[in-house]
Amino acid sequence: MHAAVGDQLHIHSNAIGRLDQKGTITEVRGTDGQPPYVVRFEDGHEGLIYPGPDCNVEPAQSLRAER
């Protein structure tokens, strides 16, 4: 997985009734864009994330193109 500051991290729910989570990557602590990432989620909390297989990165450039 590779990410940059400003990209969105999308964590897909693995249980019925639980919502997906999305957040903005505010810091990349790994080398060369690798995890872990500091993420600010839509509800305002921040956390250090080591993304698993239920996550994907949505690059900031493609998000801008959609708007």
Side-chain angles (χ1 to χ4, degrees), residues 18-60:
R18 292 188 65 190
L19 299 175
D20 290 358
Q21 293 185 32
K22 286 188 177 181
T24 302
I25 296 173
T26 59
E27 185 179 342
V28 176
R29 293 201 178 168
T31 57
D32 224 13
Q34 299 296 315
Y37 308 123
V38 177
V39 178
R40 180 177 301 121
F41 291 95
E42 293 174 334
D43 66 0
H45 81 276
E46 285 189 359
L48 182 66
I49 305 294
Y50 289 85
D54 58 346
C55 299
N56 66 298
V57 172
E58 299 169 0

